[in-house]
């Protein structure tokens, strides 16, 4: 059952991520008006008050655990045909935001699925709707502004022709103001925003057309003065889930390829549906990935854990350790001073990870 659920996750993410934007696309006139906010809010579930700080994705829901991997408990029971994709604590640790994949809203386009961002009040467990778009918009990878009044998100918009056929997508890092839901595009063509602990800098991932591989970029909050961070030779083939250290001096990221990569940089063999849907390597449990640390001031790179599966990370607030997902093997703890890692939890196929390290 678990493998089937994870397969569905890959299919959904792939559908949201296949194809490139095209300037000649004519969007179908009957598609996308914004769904009713009151109806969308009904998908945002209530939970018990959240006491434990570490949040993981498991079996389509959010679970909370202690920092040492003990006492896992299920937080949410999402509605049928929905799935939680990722989560992020606000800087004051009062609200947990999460991206929720919805069932098809327009039955005439059953494959078109959108994602909204919900929130949970940690003290009461009350759920709320934080950000949403039209039915052709998928919002994910939330990162909070330092004032806790807006979210930086990966916004994917599916592009359709007049017959409602998929022809591409538009991707951007966008800021959504809480309360008004006003969208401001920060960086076109970019994904995976992560704001520094002081709320003054933004890192994100953007395709680098000059080298043909993605780049980790550092910019101001409005996307200006963008500079690449850490350009190894050979370059990384994929970059996902950059996470700022609590002191704001470095970022740990999960990468595919690059120096010393397992497999000599050869592309992994993907199933036909993975190729068709454009599933990313790091999200497909294919080629092993590695964890690297990059210095925010000069871009200096340091390899950390190697030859792992998935590898999404969350910092311990002490800044000396972080947790990471090791595929189906559960959570691991990495110690920066020694370079050693150790398992914390029983075998579990987690797919996202968050810790309030602000």
């Amino acid at each position: 059952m678990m493998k089937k659920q994870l397969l569905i996750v890959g299919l959904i993410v792939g559908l949201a991520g296949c194809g490139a934007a095209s300037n000649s696309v004519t969007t179908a006139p009957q598609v996308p008006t914004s769904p009713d906010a009151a109806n969308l809010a009904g998908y945002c579930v209530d939970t018990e008050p959240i006491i434990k700080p570490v949040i993981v994705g498991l079996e389509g829901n959010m679970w909370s655990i202690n920092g040492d991997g003990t006492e896992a408990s299920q937080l949410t029971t999402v509605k049928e045909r929905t799935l939680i994709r990722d989560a992020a604590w606000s800087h004051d640790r009062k609200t947990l935001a999460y991206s929720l994949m919805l069932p098809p809203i327009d039955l005439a386009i059953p494959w078109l699925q959108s994602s909204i961002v919900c929130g949970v009040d940690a003290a009461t467990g009350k759920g709320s709707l934080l950000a949403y778009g039209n039915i052709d918009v998928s919002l994910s990878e939330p990162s909070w502004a330092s004032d806790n009044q807006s979210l930086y998100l990966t916004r994917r918009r599916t592009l359709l022709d007049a017959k409602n056929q998929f022809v591409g997508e538009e991707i951007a890092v966008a800021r959504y103001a809480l309360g008004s839901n006003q969208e401001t595009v920060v960086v076109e063509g970019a994904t995976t925003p992560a704001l520094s602990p002081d709320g003054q800098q933004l890192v994100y991932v953007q395709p680098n057309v000059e080298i043909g591989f993605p780049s980790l970029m550092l910019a101001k909050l409005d996307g200006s003065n963008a500079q690449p961070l850490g350009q190894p030779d050979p370059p990384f083939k994929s970059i996902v889930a950059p996470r700022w250290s609590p002191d704001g001096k470095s970022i740990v990221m999960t990468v595919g390829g690059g120096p010393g990569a397992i497999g000599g940089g050869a592309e992994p063999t993907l199933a036909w549906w993975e190729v068709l849907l454009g599933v990313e390597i790091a999200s497909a449990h294919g080629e092993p990935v590695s964890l690297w640390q990059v210095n925010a001031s000069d871009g200096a790179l340091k390899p950390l854990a190697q030859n792992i599966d998935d590898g999404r990370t969350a910092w311990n607030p002490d800044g000396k350790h972080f947790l990471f997902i090791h595929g189906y093997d559960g959570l691991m703890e990495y110690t920066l001073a020694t370079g050693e890692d150790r398992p914390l939890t029983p075998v579990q196929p987690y797919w996202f990870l968050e810790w309030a390290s602000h």
Side-chain angles (χ1 to χ4, degrees):
M1 183 65 178
M2 179 57 61
K3 291 183 178 179
K4 290 182 179 179
Q5 289 175 323
L6 292 177
L7 179 62
I8 292 171
V9 174
L11 285 167
I12 291 173
V13 173
L15 281 172
C18 55
S22 170
N23 293 328
S24 63
V25 170
T26 300
T27 303
Q30 70 270 33
V31 168
T33 55
S34 181
D36 182 75
N39 290 337
L40 292 179
Y43 288 101
C44 300
V45 297
D46 297 337
T47 74
E48 296 295 323
I50 307 175
I51 306 300
K52 290 167 288 212
V54 179
I55 307 298
V56 293
L58 179 64
E59 299 176 353
N61 281 284
M62 290 192 300
W63 293 59
S64 64
I65 61 175
N66 291 318
D68 60 2
T70 61
E71 298 184 7
S73 57
Q74 185 170 338
L75 286 176
T76 62
T77 302
V78 295
K79 295 188 176 184
E80 185 178 2
R81 301 179 70 190
T82 66
L83 181 141
I84 296 177
R85 301 176 63 181
D86 40 45
W89 279 111
S90 61
H91 287 262
D92 57 12
R93 203 182 169 278
K94 292 182 178 180
T95 307
L96 181 66
Y98 63 90
S99 174
L100 182 70
M101 181 72 76
L102 300 179
I105 294 175
D106 187 340
L107 296 182
I109 320 173
W111 56 267
L112 181 64
Q113 291 182 284
S114 58
S115 292
I116 60 176
V117 177
C118 297
V120 176
D121 182 274
T124 66
K126 181 66 176 177
S128 62
L129 178 64
L130 298 182
Y132 62 95
N134 295 334
I135 68 171
D136 61 342
V137 168
S138 177
L139 302 178
S140 62
E141 301 178 305
S143 183
W144 288 83
S146 59
D147 62 2
N148 301 309
Q149 297 303 306
S150 61
L151 287 166
Y152 283 67
L153 303 166
T154 297
R155 188 263 285 147
R156 296 178 182 269
R157 175 174 288 120
T158 302
L159 302 176
L160 308 172
D161 62 17
K163 296 181 179 180
N164 287 340
Q165 301 297 309
F166 173 85
V167 291
E169 68 174 4
E170 293 175 344
I171 307 172
V173 167
R175 183 175 65 251
Y176 281 74
L178 302 188
S180 68
N181 197 51
Q182 180 179 356
E183 176 197 278
T184 302
V185 173
V186 178
V187 187
E188 295 279 4
T191 66
T192 324
L195 272 68
S196 59
D198 64 4
Q200 299 303 306
Q201 298 183 95
L202 168 70
V203 296
Y204 58 89
V205 178
Q206 188 165 52
N208 188 324
V209 295
E210 293 182 0
I211 64 175
F213 292 92
S215 290
L216 184 72
M217 306 295 293
L218 177 69
K220 294 182 178 181
L221 295 186
D222 61 0
S224 64
N225 197 33
Q227 302 292 329
L229 272 182
Q231 299 272 356
D233 186 17
F236 298 130
K237 295 192 295 182
S238 63
I239 303 172
V240 298
R243 296 290 182 262
W244 285 90
S245 61
D247 62 9
K249 294 182 178 180
S250 66
I251 298 110
V252 166
M253 56 187 176
T254 305
V255 306
I262 300 297
E267 291 289 343
T269 301
L270 300 179
W272 66 269
W273 57 268
E274 293 175 311
V275 175
L276 178 64
L277 299 177
V279 176
E280 295 180 358
I281 292 171
S283 301
H285 294 281
E287 180 180 345
V289 296
S290 57
L291 304 179
W292 286 69
Q293 186 177 27
V294 55
N295 190 303
S297 63
D298 60 11
L301 285 162
K302 177 182 178 181
L304 303 176
Q306 305 291 304
N307 190 25
I308 59 178
D309 192 4
D310 198 335
R312 295 168 191 270
T313 62
W315 283 87
N316 186 314
D318 67 10
K320 300 177 181 179
H321 310 82
F322 61 80
L323 306 183
F324 68 91
I325 299 172
H326 195 351
Y328 294 96
D329 294 332
L331 295 184
M332 309 286 288
E333 181 185 64
Y334 187 91
T335 301
L336 287 167
T338 64
E340 297 176 339
D341 56 57
R342 65 184 182 95
L344 288 186
T345 65
V347 174
Q348 291 282 13
Y350 301 118
W351 68 72
F352 67 79
L353 174 63
E354 165 68 350
W355 192 343
S357 60
H358 312 297

